[in-house]
Amino acid sequence: AMAAEQSSGAAAADQGSSLLVSVLPPEEQQGYVQNFAGYVQAGTNFMLGVFGSFFGPVIRAFKKQGPLKFVYAALILGAVVGLVFTLRGMTAMDE
């Protein structure tokens, strides 16, 4: 009776997973999981690189003395506000 309960529980858990996981043997599943994790890591590294290349010069400018940092701050604030208004206009959220 115990083995039947365990197998029905495994079958119920299997139904919730995708068709791909239920068809593939476990060693294949592990490869797909590792590939997916690798893609997620590559995407994360890419996004960090994009943000780093974008914000790096801004951060360096803020570390320097001088009035230029206020110009950068105003430009960034203006870009963010403009983006917010653009997205609100595109999605008609102001109604």
Side-chain angles (χ1 to χ4, degrees):
M2 194 65 168
E5 286 176 13
Q6 284 179 339
S7 65
S8 67
D14 213 25
Q15 287 174 354
S17 61
S18 68
L19 180 66
L20 183 71
V21 172
S22 61
V23 168
L24 291 173
E27 58 273 10
E28 285 285 316
Q29 291 178 28
Q30 188 178 10
Y32 278 106
V33 169
Q34 285 175 340
N35 282 347
F36 181 73
Y39 281 119
V40 169
Q41 188 176 9
T44 303
N45 288 346
F46 175 75
M47 291 306 293
L48 286 173
V50 168
F51 282 119
S53 64
F54 182 73
F55 288 114
V58 176
I59 292 169
R60 282 195 293 275
F62 271 95
K63 287 183 179 177
K64 292 179 184 174
Q65 294 295 322
L68 198 59
K69 66 175 84 174
F70 298 111
V71 176
Y72 280 129
L75 287 174
I76 293 168
L77 189 63
V80 170
V81 169
L83 184 66
V84 168
F85 277 114
T86 302
L87 289 174
R88 282 184 58 154
M90 285 169 60
T91 56
M93 285 174 55
D94 50 357
E95 294 173 1

